[in-house]
Amino acid sequence: VVYFHQGHQEQLCDYPEAQCQRAQQPWEEFKLLKPAEKCEVVDIKYQIPATNEPEDNSVYCILLLKRLPDDLQGPKPGRKFANGQPVKARWKEGHRFNGRVVECNDDGTYVVHFDDGDREPAEPEDRMDFQTFPVSCRKTNHAEFVLPIYRYERHERNVFGPGDRFKMFFDDSPELFHGTITGMPPFHAM
């Protein structure tokens, strides 16, 4: 999937109760988070809406997302992490720090560049973990902030279709309008 933290921030402005009881939001925890971050869904927890929640504002699932390397290449055989993989590594005073694998060493360790600029030339695999974060997905009229990769790639090619949600300005209005594509007329080339 592709996670858009700006869309998540917009939804949390209107629905602050959807924060998944986190100390930090993903864009606060991962300082180098890209505007469109490729992730893998690691876990899904479905929620039954509370009877007192409005029907159009109910949590329906919590996703646990794992950040992926930019090139989406898997790790080498027998290895847990791939080059470019965002990781949490190196316990120090009980904490792991955010970084990225830049090289897989022949001895089974990894070269890790940390987000704060530090570099570890031989980080053991057992002292590393994937960068993961939970997000709650709600039934709202907001644009989606987690999309399947195929839909994101279709949008990169400027191909839109029914069911896609969008935001846009009309004429000179400063107000941003939300909408959903419900259908498209056939395209006839000239």
Side-chain angles (χ1 to χ4, degrees):
V1 297
V2 179
Y3 167 75
F4 300 91
H5 66 84
Q6 180 182 358
H8 191 189
Q9 287 173 321
E10 289 175 8
Q11 191 176 103
L12 289 179
C13 286
D14 289 343
Y15 305 105
E17 66 277 7
Q19 293 189 24
C20 293
Q21 284 72 49
R22 293 178 53 85
Q24 293 181 301
Q25 293 303 325
W27 54 89
E28 296 167 334
E29 181 178 356
F30 307 117
K31 301 296 183 199
L32 302 179
L33 197 66
K34 294 183 288 302
E37 186 75 31
K38 292 180 181 173
C39 297
E40 176 183 336
V41 176
V42 179
D43 189 30
I44 301 174
K45 291 186 170 114
Y46 291 99
Q47 301 275 341
I48 298 174
T51 56
N52 62 346
E53 277 197 59
E55 186 177 316
D56 64 341
N57 175 28
S58 57
V59 174
Y60 59 91
C61 75
I62 296 175
L63 302 176
L64 183 62
L65 301 179
K66 174 176 78 174
R67 295 180 68 199
L68 294 175
D70 294 333
D71 62 6
L72 296 180
Q73 296 296 315
K76 295 177 182 177
R79 303 304 292 267
K80 184 176 179 181
F81 303 101
N83 282 345
Q85 176 71 51
V87 295
K88 288 184 171 231
R90 192 173 28 163
W91 282 97
K92 189 172 189 177
E93 298 175 15
H95 298 285
R96 292 183 188 217
F97 296 91
N98 295 321
R100 190 171 292 269
V101 172
V102 293
E103 190 176 336
C104 300
N105 298 324
D106 292 336
D107 65 358
T109 62
Y110 299 86
V111 178
V112 176
H113 283 195
F114 292 93
D115 293 358
D116 65 2
D118 283 350
R119 180 179 184 274
E120 175 58 50
E123 188 71 20
E125 192 171 87
D126 64 347
R127 291 178 53 190
M128 298 169 55
D129 204 354
F130 294 105
Q131 289 183 7
T132 61
F133 57 96
V135 296
S136 66
C137 295
R138 305 177 76 76
K139 179 181 175 187
T140 70
N141 64 350
H142 286 280
E144 296 170 84
F145 62 87
V146 177
L147 287 178
I149 285 182
Y150 79 89
R151 281 185 57 200
Y152 173 73
E153 289 171 345
R154 186 177 76 187
H155 288 279
E156 282 187 315
R157 296 186 311 271
N158 293 322
V159 178
F160 301 94
D164 291 340
R165 291 193 256 176
F166 62 90
K167 293 188 277 185
M168 66 183 288
F169 294 102
F170 286 104
D171 300 324
D172 294 329
S173 173
E175 186 177 351
L176 195 58
F177 293 88
H178 299 263
T180 303
I181 298 173
T182 58
M184 298 176 70
F187 177 75
H188 300 288
M190 307 278 266

